[in-house]
Amino acid sequence: MSQIKLQPPRGTRDLVGEEFRRHHRVIKTARRISALYGFEEWATPIFEDTRVFARGLGETSDVVSKEMYEFKDRGGESVTLRPENTAGVCRALVSNGLTQSLPRKVFYAGPMFRYERPQAGRYRQFHQIGAEVLGAGEPLADAEVIACGYHIIRELGLDEGVILEVNTLGDAESRDAYRAALVAHFTAHRDRLSEDSQRRLEKNPLRIIDSKEPQDRALVADAPTIEPFLTEGARAHWDALRRHLTTFAVPFRENPRIVRGLDYYSHTAFEFVTERLGAQGTVMGGGRYDGLVEEMGGPPTPSVGWAAGVERLAMLMEKAGLTPAAPRLVTVIPVSEAEEGVALSVLQSLRGAGIGAEMGYRGNLKRRMERANKQGARVALIIGETEATQGVAQLRDLDAGTQEQVPFAALAERLRK
Ligand code: ATP
Ligand code: MG
C-alpha cells in the first residue's frame, strides 16, 4: 500500500475530544435556552437550489459574490452548500405552507460552508446556531430574539468579554436618503477608497461602512450617520428596541458602523463582539429582514434573527478555561474470567439505572486497574469469586482511595451520590 497521508480538506476541522465537548456544550446550551423563549428547532437541507441564496442573500453580498460552494449535481441542477441558514428557514416556511400561522420562532444548529481564506476562527466548513422570529414586525420581537442570544452567551459563561453593539438601518425610505448622502460623501473621495469599496459605491454603498480595509476606515469615520435620515416610523422602531433591551436587562452599546454583510437587513442590525479573538471578533450577528420570505415566494413577512459561530464561541470558552470535563465513568472489574458474566449484568444494570459504566474487554486485575485510572474513572467495582457468590462488589473510590463493600442491589443508589 502506498503511504499517503490523508488530511481533512483545507479550512475544515475534525472535532475530537475537548474540541467536541466545547462544541457540544454550545449547541446544547443554545437548544435549552432558546426553548425557554419558545423557539422550536428546525433542520433544513445542507444544500439548496442555488437560487435560494442568490436571491435571498443579494448578488452583491460577499457571500454570494465570492464565498459560495456552488456546483452542478449529476442531474445538471445548480445546488449550493448552505453558507447560512436564514434563507433556508424562510424557504422552508414557504415550502411547508406555514406563512399563515405566524409568528413562528425557529432555532437551528448545523454546519455551514463558505469558500474563505482559512485562519483562526474562519473556516470553510463551520457551524452556526441561530434563531429567527418569522412574521413579527414589532420591535419587541427584535429585542426578544437579542435577549435570547444574550442569555445563551451568559449561560455559557462568556458575557464578560462580549459586548452587544446595535444599530438601525431604518426603513426603505430612510435608507434611500442615507444612501444618497453616503454616495455623495464617498464619491468626493472615490480614488482613496479600496478597490472593493469602489465597486460597492455603485452597487451597495452601505457596505462601505463596515469595510475592514484600513484605507477605507478613515473615510468611513467622517461619513454621515443614518440618524438624521430616519423617518418617524423608523425612529419609533429604534427607540422601542432600545427601551425593550433595557427592560430585558440586556446591556448594549450603539454603533452606527454596523451594517452587516448580507443585503437583506432593515431597521435593526446588531453584533455581539469580543476583543479576545483578534480579527475574528464577531461571535453573533443578526438583524431584521423584512423582504426575505417574499424573495422565497411567500407573502410579506417581517422577520428578525441572528446567527452565531459555534467555533468562535467554543474558542472563547477555551480561552476562559471553560472546557467541559470529560465524563467520569464507573469501571467494573471482574477478577477472573469466572466472574465475567456476573460483572456484565452489574454493568448493564448500572447503565439501565442511568449511571455511566464501562468494563474492559480483557486483562488481569492489575491491567484493568491501570486502565481505569488512565481513563479517569471515578470508581472501580471489583468483583472476585467471594463477591460474586455473595452478590456484592468492592467499591473503590479512585479519588479518595477508600474501599467499601456494597451489595449489587444497593450499587446504583450508592453511585448516584
Ligand atoms: P465575518 O465578518 O467574520 O466574515 P459574517 O458577517 O460573514 O462574519 P455572518 O454571515 O453574519 O458572518 O455569520 C454569523 C456568524 O457566523 C459570525 O458572526 C461568525 O461568528 C460566524 N462565521 C461566519 N463566517 C464564518 C467562518 N468562515 N468560519 C467560522 N465562523 C464563521
Ligand atoms: Mg464573512
Side-chain angles (χ1 to χ4, degrees):
M1 268 207 341
S2 64
Q3 297 289 304
I4 38 169
K5 263 221 184 100
L6 293 174
Q7 296 292 333
R10 187 167 145 77
T12 71
R13 297 178 329 141
D14 299 311
L15 297 173
V16 175
E18 283 193 356
E19 198 77 60
F20 186 88
R21 293 204 298 276
R22 285 190 289 268
H23 193 94
H24 186 248
R25 166 73 58 89
V26 171
I27 292 174
K28 203 172 128 191
T29 303
R31 264 197 186 117
R32 182 166 57 79
I33 301 300
S34 63
L36 295 178
Y37 286 73
F39 288 81
E40 55 167 336
E41 185 164 354
W42 287 9
T44 64
I46 279 173
F47 62 92
E48 295 268 3
D49 184 320
T50 295
R51 287 172 297 183
V52 168
F53 307 115
R55 292 180 65 95
L57 278 49
E59 307 278 353
T60 61
S61 67
D62 283 355
V63 171
V64 173
S65 59
K66 45 190 192 208
E67 296 171 1
M68 296 229 293
Y69 271 95
E70 177 186 353
F71 58 96
K72 291 256 191 302
D73 68 11
R74 288 171 189 274
E77 302 294 331
S78 173
V79 296
T80 295
L81 300 183
R82 62 184 189 192
E84 55 91 85
N85 209 166
T86 303
V89 163
C90 291
R91 198 270 310 134
L93 184 82
V94 178
S95 307
N96 290 277
L98 299 172
T99 54
Q100 298 309 312
S101 48
L102 299 173
R104 281 191 103 89
K105 297 179 183 175
V106 178
F107 171 79
Y108 62 80
M112 309 293 156
F113 306 84
R114 295 183 192 180
Y115 195 81
E116 301 213 62
R117 195 168 63 79
Q119 49 199 295
R122 191 176 294 286
Y123 310 100
R124 290 180 174 178
Q125 174 172 339
F126 61 102
H127 298 78
Q128 283 183 341
I129 48 171
E132 318 285 354
V133 181
L134 303 159
E138 294 82 356
L140 183 53
D142 310 40
E144 190 186 41
V145 80
I146 293 173
C148 176
Y150 175 69
H151 199 151
I152 292 167
I153 288 172
R154 211 183 49 203
E155 198 71 11
L156 288 168
L158 301 176
D159 50 318
E160 288 256 313
V162 176
I163 166 98
L164 166 64
E165 299 195 327
V166 292
N167 189 24
T168 182
L169 305 174
D171 50 17
E173 194 186 322
S174 331
R175 224 162 29 254
D176 283 346
Y178 181 45
R179 191 178 294 115
L182 281 180
V183 170
H185 170 78
F186 288 119
T187 304
H189 310 281
R190 199 196 151 86
D191 39 350
R192 284 164 58 203
L193 285 172
S194 69
E195 230 172 88
D196 269 352
S197 287
Q198 292 192 15
R199 214 167 313 124
R200 291 179 185 129
L201 190 52
E202 260 100 68
K203 294 192 165 154
N204 192 351
L206 251 70
R207 284 297 318 283
I208 300 176
I209 297 280
D210 83 337
S211 166
K212 282 157 192 133
E213 297 290 331
Q215 77 188 91
D216 294 334
R217 304 300 299 178
L219 291 177
V220 168
D222 300 336
T225 64
I226 197 167
E227 194 85 36
F229 301 96
L230 293 178
T231 61
E232 207 175 304
R235 181 174 306 281
H237 193 104
W238 178 220
D239 289 343
L241 169 70
R242 290 174 292 179
R243 202 171 60 241
H244 292 317
L245 283 177
T246 304
T247 310
F248 278 126
V250 178
F252 65 90
R253 180 160 82 196
E254 291 174 33
N255 180 352
R257 303 296 168 213
I258 290 180
V259 299
R260 310 284 308 132
L262 308 178
D263 285 357
Y264 51 53
Y265 292 107
S266 59
H267 291 294
T268 309
F270 60 93
E271 291 183 345
F272 285 86
V273 296
T274 179
E275 297 190 338
R276 300 184 181 172
L277 294 180
Q280 272 58 254
T282 307
V283 293
M284 181 183 283
R288 173 163 284 284
Y289 50 95
D290 287 350
L292 192 53
V293 175
E294 252 176 303
E295 288 287 344
M296 300 299 145
T301 307
S303 304
V304 58
W306 51 256
V310 176
E311 283 79 1
R312 293 188 192 175
L313 289 168
M315 282 165 76
L316 282 179
M317 287 172 71
E318 182 182 14
K319 281 188 199 294
L322 294 171
T323 298
R328 301 188 68 197
L329 302 192
V330 170
T331 297
V332 181
I333 300 182
V335 174
S336 76
E337 222 178 305
E339 290 83 43
E340 199 179 68
V342 176
L344 278 175
S345 23
V346 169
L347 176 71
Q348 268 322 70
S349 72
L350 288 178
R351 289 169 174 170
I355 292 164
E358 276 214 291
M359 190 173 114
Y361 300 125
R362 67 170 94 88
N364 59 23
L365 178 61
K366 182 161 172 273
R367 290 292 302 275
R368 286 173 187 262
M369 279 304 294
E370 279 168 8
R371 204 165 153 70
N373 279 309
K374 202 169 140 210
Q375 292 186 326
R378 59 185 176 114
V379 158
L381 292 179
I382 302 156
I383 303 173
E385 196 184 342
T386 325
E387 285 82 14
T389 32
Q390 293 177 1
V392 299
Q394 299 301 331
L395 185 156
R396 190 175 299 176
D397 185 314
L398 296 175
D399 295 327
T402 53
Q403 189 162 310
E404 63 192 288
Q405 184 169 300
V406 181
F408 291 163
L411 275 174
E413 177 67 28
R414 166 68 182 75
L415 289 168
R416 242 190 286 278
K417 282 189 261 171

